[in-house]
Amino acid sequence: MKVIGKEIGDAIEPMFKEIEARLLTDAERTLRVEPFEGGALSDIDWDEPPGVVVISLHYGVPTHALAHVLGVALQHLRQTLDHYPDIVPGEAEVEGEEMLRHALRELVLAPEAETHLVPLGLDSRWETEQRHQGMKDLLRQASKDWDDVLTPNHAFGALLYARFSLDHPEELWAGLRKEFTRKFPALSESGEGVAQLIRTHGWGSADACVEALVAVRDELGMREIALVEDRRDGTLH
């Protein structure tokens, strides 16, 4: 299978064809993959052009890592088609709120997506290395107010801590956890609590994802900036 001019093997092709067919049947849209340059590894656009869903893959992703990056994007499309929950703005406006909503969403929906990719044996090592280095750099630059409970920076840090606690390889996470605890003991405690909420609720169904997102959102005091939308019936929690 070839995407953005690169041969990525055949492991992802059945999943691609399945999502492509579902988009056409369920959403009356065709699927297109394009290269782009941006701040993320991939992007999904449901709006432009009309009648098409565009998955954009970053030029800089190595060929051996492209199948996994594409797989994650395909699974996010599947989540939308299956009416998994989304995070939408609340009533308040806070600096950095969009980043907080994204971190909350990814805490639950990223590992849910990953469970569908594990059987394919795709190479995710490059992405893991990128995330690891990015977290090291962020921790090095983070200010002391990350440890101030019930602030946006504290919530953001706790969401990142929980995400790495749940899905980062233990041999890499051990050093990051030590650095988190040394610099931000209160944040680390909050992050452990958030991770435990996710372990309790899990992400095995749309219901579980809604419950996990609501529990974490409330634990971190983010209700004014983040509502959990149950896309099965439009309910906002």
Side-chain angles (χ1 to χ4, degrees), residues 110-157:
E112 196 282 336
E114 196 64 42
T115 60
H116 295 264
L117 299 177
V118 169
L120 301 182
L122 304 176
D123 188 346
S124 61
R125 290 172 296 175
W126 180 81
E127 287 175 80
T128 297
E129 292 165 0
Q130 296 300 303
R131 288 180 58 219
H132 184 76
Q133 187 59 51
M135 190 69 254
K136 284 178 64 176
D137 294 342
L138 189 58
L139 272 175
R140 191 177 301 117
Q141 300 165 10
S143 59
K144 292 182 179 180
D145 65 354
W146 276 38
D147 228 26
D148 295 341
V149 179
L150 296 180
T151 63
N153 278 345
H154 185 90
F156 182 64

Side-chain angles (χ1 to χ4, degrees), residues 94-97 99-100 143-159 184 186-187 190 216-217 219-223 225:
V94 174
E95 185 178 356
E97 61 180 285
M99 185 170 57
L100 281 165
S143 59
K144 292 182 179 180
D145 65 354
W146 276 38
D147 228 26
D148 295 341
V149 179
L150 296 180
T151 63
N153 278 345
H154 185 90
F156 182 64
L159 290 167
F184 306 114
L187 184 151
S190 295
V216 171
R217 187 271 315 273
E219 176 74 11
L220 295 177
M222 292 171 52
R223 186 178 180 84
I225 64 168

Side-chain angles (χ1 to χ4, degrees), residues 71-85:
V72 171
L74 289 170
Q75 285 305 310
H76 284 316
L77 287 180
R78 190 266 310 160
Q79 288 170 344
T80 300
L81 291 169
D82 286 346
H83 306 296
Y84 270 65

Side-chain angles (χ1 to χ4, degrees), residues 12-233:
I12 201 73
E13 190 168 8
M15 181 181 292
F16 184 93
K17 289 182 176 179
E18 178 186 353
I19 299 299
E20 185 178 39
R22 286 197 61 190
L23 279 170
L24 195 58
T25 301
D26 299 351
E28 298 183 343
R29 294 170 185 259
T30 58
L31 178 59
R32 194 163 74 205
V33 180
E34 298 179 347
F36 87 128
E37 294 182 10
L41 300 183
S42 66
D43 186 52
I44 298 173
D45 192 341
W46 284 81
D47 301 318
E48 292 292 340
V52 179
V53 174
V54 178
I55 294 178
S56 299
L57 301 177
H58 199 288
Y59 276 112
V61 176
T63 300
H64 67 85
L66 265 176
H68 187 265
V69 173
L70 175 58
V72 171
L74 289 170
Q75 285 305 310
H76 284 316
L77 287 180
R78 190 266 310 160
Q79 288 170 344
T80 300
L81 291 169
D82 286 346
H83 306 296
Y84 270 65
D86 193 15
I87 305 298
V88 299
E91 296 181 357
E93 293 184 4
V94 174
E95 185 178 356
E97 61 180 285
E98 185 174 346
M99 185 170 57
L100 281 165
R101 286 192 292 269
H102 176 77
L104 175 59
R105 182 187 300 110
E106 287 295 293
L107 177 61
V108 175
L109 296 182
E112 196 282 336
E114 196 64 42
T115 60
H116 295 264
L117 299 177
V118 169
L120 301 182
L122 304 176
D123 188 346
S124 61
R125 290 172 296 175
W126 180 81
E127 287 175 80
T128 297
E129 292 165 0
Q130 296 300 303
R131 288 180 58 219
H132 184 76
Q133 187 59 51
M135 190 69 254
K136 284 178 64 176
D137 294 342
L138 189 58
L139 272 175
R140 191 177 301 117
Q141 300 165 10
S143 59
K144 292 182 179 180
D145 65 354
W146 276 38
D147 228 26
D148 295 341
V149 179
L150 296 180
T151 63
N153 278 345
H154 185 90
F156 182 64
L159 290 167
L160 292 180
Y161 181 105
R163 171 83 185 275
F164 276 76
S165 174
L166 290 166
D167 68 8
H168 207 49
E170 180 56 35
E171 65 273 17
L172 295 177
W173 170 233
L176 288 178
R177 179 171 52 208
K178 183 176 180 180
E179 187 65 6
F180 262 111
T181 303
R182 183 185 71 82
K183 291 190 70 173
F184 306 114
L187 184 151
S188 298
E189 184 176 350
S190 295
E192 288 287 353
V194 168
Q196 187 54 49
L197 286 173
I198 299 298
R199 294 186 185 101
T200 297
H201 293 283
W203 49 71
S205 66
D207 280 328
C209 288
V210 169
E211 292 169 2
L213 289 167
V214 169
V216 171
R217 187 271 315 273
D218 291 348
E219 176 74 11
L220 295 177
M222 292 171 52
R223 186 178 180 84
E224 291 187 350
I225 64 168
L227 298 176
V228 179
E229 180 186 13
D230 189 335
R231 288 194 281 205
R232 293 170 296 182
D233 60 10

